[in-house]
């Protein structure tokens, strides 16, 4: 189990080394306050958790800035240790000098993520919360930030810890019974275990499924744009995203690779993949593009199928629409600014929602964007946190498989197998929360952090 440890005192700038309004320097460790005193002289007396005005000092004691500082005594600080912060003007020169003063006084340069790693080691947060910190820092949309904030509040960690705790209790109970070899584990106990394991399986399965939503909030909703060459896919993507990225030409088949573009619509990111025109081709490069297009289609949460209504419906259009059966499709009837040549009544019957659009004039693009937001833009459910990284998803998958096996073993009345499988499930869940995460996993997580966090 994790416990409070006494480590050396670390310091680092928490803001980037560029001229800016303010810079923040962080200190954590047993010597945090004595080290602070060498680099900051308060105007009055410093009180815990109260911002205090004063002077920042260079290593030779010279005043180099008017600054503020705060002390946050342990254990109620970010790291669980004594912490302090100094707020200077955002001058890289000032920050470097103040850090030199702190280092001369005995602090050392913090490594990437070391403050948060200490928070984890000191039990201030579990691994799900530590991962949420980095997700929150990296979030570029409101939706991504909300999900990370929910995870940071501990919703996911608490849920997993409760499941793990209940499973551990069950395993302990069974091992205790098996310590008396003459006594069989009563059938009733096994029946109850089977039922409880069934419920756990349901909860884990819901969590496993939540990854799709969590990944969408974090990385954006993947949307594939497809249609035959020249239908207006690139133009539509540009109209949605609002600026040119891919080359628009009149020669069919020029979009040879996948061009991705992210647009934030109502606080949620959408990643549009402008796919190569789906058609048979002898050209090797174009064939690779087409293969990627099919992959993008498979991974997309929805497809914008673009038709050029200024041309008659072609066999290629029809085969594309057929291929999209069963997918979530928004049918985009493009080039509405031109005289219509397509007989819309000949379009195959489908439940695809239709949008009449001109990618050129922008007409109808708003309505399409609004429909995307209505479909995918459901905001965070209070108290819910979705799995948002593949590491968590993989561990849940393993825990789920082990719980399924344990339930099956309970049904077959093989108590010892129940125990082994439950323990395996606990191990996998512990990897997510940090209760049983290897050093390698922990190092991997904190290596993603920046210095000063
Ligand atoms: P893609 O091959 O499907 O990506 O098609 P592009 O976006 O490259 O468009 C092919 C041609 O159609 C270009 O000349 C575009 O300017 C034109 N185009 C695309 N959308 C519209 C539209 O809504 N109206 C008109 N008039 N032309 C369009």
């Amino acid at each position: 189990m994790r416990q409070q440890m006494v480590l050396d005192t670390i310091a680092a700038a928490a803001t980037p080394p560029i001229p800016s309004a303010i810079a923040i320097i962080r200190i954590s460790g047993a010597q945090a306050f004595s080290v602070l005193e060498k680099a900051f002289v308060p105007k009055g007396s410093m009180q815990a958790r109260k911002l205090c005005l004063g002077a920042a000092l260079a290593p030779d004691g010279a005043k180099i800035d008017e600054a503020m500082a705060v002390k946050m005594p342990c254990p109620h600080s970010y790291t669980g240790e004594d912490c302090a912060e100094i707020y200077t003007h955002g001058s890289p020169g000032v920050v470097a000098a103040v850090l030199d003063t702190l280092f001369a006084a005995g602090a050392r340069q913090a490594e990437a993520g070391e403050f948060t790693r200490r928070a984890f080691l000191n039990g201030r947060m579990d691994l799900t919360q530590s991962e949420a910190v980095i997700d929150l820092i990296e979030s570029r949309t409101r939706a991504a930030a909300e999900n990370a904030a929910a995870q940071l509040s501990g919703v996911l960690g608490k849920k997993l810890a409760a499941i793990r705790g209940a499973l551990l209790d069950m395993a302990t109970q069974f091992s205790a019974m098996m310590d008396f070899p003459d006594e069989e584990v009563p059938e009733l106990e096994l029946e109850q275990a089977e039922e409880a394991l069934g419920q756990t399986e349901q909860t884990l399965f819901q969590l496993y499924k939540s990854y799709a939503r969590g990944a969408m909030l974090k990385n954006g909703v993947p949307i594939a744009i497809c249609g035959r060459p020249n239908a207006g896919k690139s133009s539509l993507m540009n109209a949605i995203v609002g600026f040119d990225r891919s080359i628009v030409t009149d020669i069919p088949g020029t979009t040879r690779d996948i061009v991705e573009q992210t647009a934030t619509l109502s606080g949620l990111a959408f990643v549009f993949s402008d796919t190569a025109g789906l058609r048979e081709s002898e050209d090797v490069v174009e064939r690779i593009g087409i293969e990627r297009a099919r992959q993008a289609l498979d991974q997309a949460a929805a497809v914008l199928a673009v038709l050029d209504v200024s041309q008659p419906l072609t066999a290629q259009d029809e085969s594309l629409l057929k291929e999209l059966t069963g997918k979530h499709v928004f049918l985009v009837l493009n080039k509405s600014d031109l005289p219509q040549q397509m007989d819309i009544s000949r379009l195959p019957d489908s439940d695809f929602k239709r949008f009449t659009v001109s990618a050129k004039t922008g007409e109808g693009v708003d309505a399409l964007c609004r429909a995307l937001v209505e479909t995918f833009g459901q905001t965070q459910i209070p108290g819910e946190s979705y799995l948002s990284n593949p590491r968590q998803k993989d561990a849940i998958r393993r825990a789920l498989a082990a719980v399924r096996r344990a339930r099956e073993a309970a049904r077959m009345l093989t108590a010892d197998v129940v125990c082994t499988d439950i323990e395996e499930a606990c191990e996998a869940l512990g990897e997510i929360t940090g209760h049983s995460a290897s050093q390698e996993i922990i190092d991997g997580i904190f290596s993603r952090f920046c210095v000063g966090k």
Side-chain angles (χ1 to χ4, degrees), residues 227-236 247-250 253-255 274 334-338 357-361:
R228 67 182 169 84
N230 260 359
K233 298 179 293 298
S234 313
S235 308
L236 178 67
I247 309 152
V248 180
T249 69
D250 288 326
T254 40
T255 314
D274 175 358
N334 190 34
K335 307 202 188 181
S336 64
D337 56 298
L338 296 176
V357 160
S358 166
K360 189 169 186 176
T361 67

Side-chain angles (χ1 to χ4, degrees), residues 382-436:
E384 271 300 328
S385 170
Y386 309 97
L387 296 189
S388 58
N389 72 49
R391 184 189 86 83
Q392 294 172 344
K393 182 191 174 200
D394 182 61
I396 291 283
R397 181 187 58 73
R398 283 181 282 124
L400 184 58
V403 166
R404 276 193 184 132
R405 286 198 304 274
R407 184 170 58 80
E408 187 60 16
R411 202 174 61 78
M412 307 293 281
L413 307 179
T414 45
D416 53 335
V417 181
V418 177
C419 262
T420 319
D421 287 332
I422 289 180
E423 277 161 13
E424 202 180 313
C426 290
E427 188 75 17
L429 294 177
E431 275 179 31
I432 308 179
T433 55
H435 287 93
S436 58

Side-chain angles (χ1 to χ4, degrees), residues 249-382:
T249 69
D250 288 326
I251 311 152
T254 40
T255 314
R256 290 191 163 176
D257 211 336
I258 305 281
V259 179
E260 276 191 355
Q261 192 58 270
T262 302
T264 302
L265 307 173
S266 299
L268 178 64
F270 286 84
V271 183
F272 295 94
S273 304
D274 175 358
T275 64
L278 284 176
R279 58 178 199 156
E280 298 310 318
S281 173
E282 294 301 312
D283 183 305
V284 177
V285 181
E286 199 172 321
R287 279 219 307 267
I288 295 170
I290 292 169
E291 190 44 45
R292 295 212 183 129
R294 290 201 194 279
Q295 275 172 18
L297 268 185
D298 288 342
Q299 286 160 9
V303 180
L304 304 185
V306 186
L307 296 179
D308 176 354
V309 294
S310 72
Q311 301 289 324
L313 193 69
T314 65
Q316 204 181 350
D317 293 328
E318 283 180 290
S319 82
L320 171 74
L321 293 177
K322 213 166 175 191
E323 197 168 332
L324 295 178
T325 313
K327 294 195 189 297
H328 193 156
V329 176
F330 294 78
L331 192 60
V332 182
L333 307 173
N334 190 34
K335 307 202 188 181
S336 64
D337 56 298
L338 296 176
Q340 186 174 321
Q341 297 291 331
M342 188 176 282
D343 182 359
I344 304 286
S345 64
R346 276 193 52 220
L347 284 174
D349 264 349
S350 68
D351 51 7
F352 299 165
K353 267 195 215 145
R354 293 183 185 186
F355 298 85
T356 301
V357 160
S358 166
K360 189 169 186 176
T361 67
E363 201 191 321
V365 174
D366 266 14
L368 178 61
C369 291
R370 272 202 305 278
L372 286 172
V373 170
E374 273 165 28
T375 309
F376 296 103
Q378 169 207 2
T379 47
Q380 189 80 21
I381 301 167

Side-chain angles (χ1 to χ4, degrees), residues 40-48 50-53 69 71:
F40 177 79
V41 187
K43 273 208 168 134
S45 69
M46 278 191 90
Q47 289 172 34
K50 292 246 161 65
L51 212 53
C52 184
L53 189 65
K71 286 180 179 176

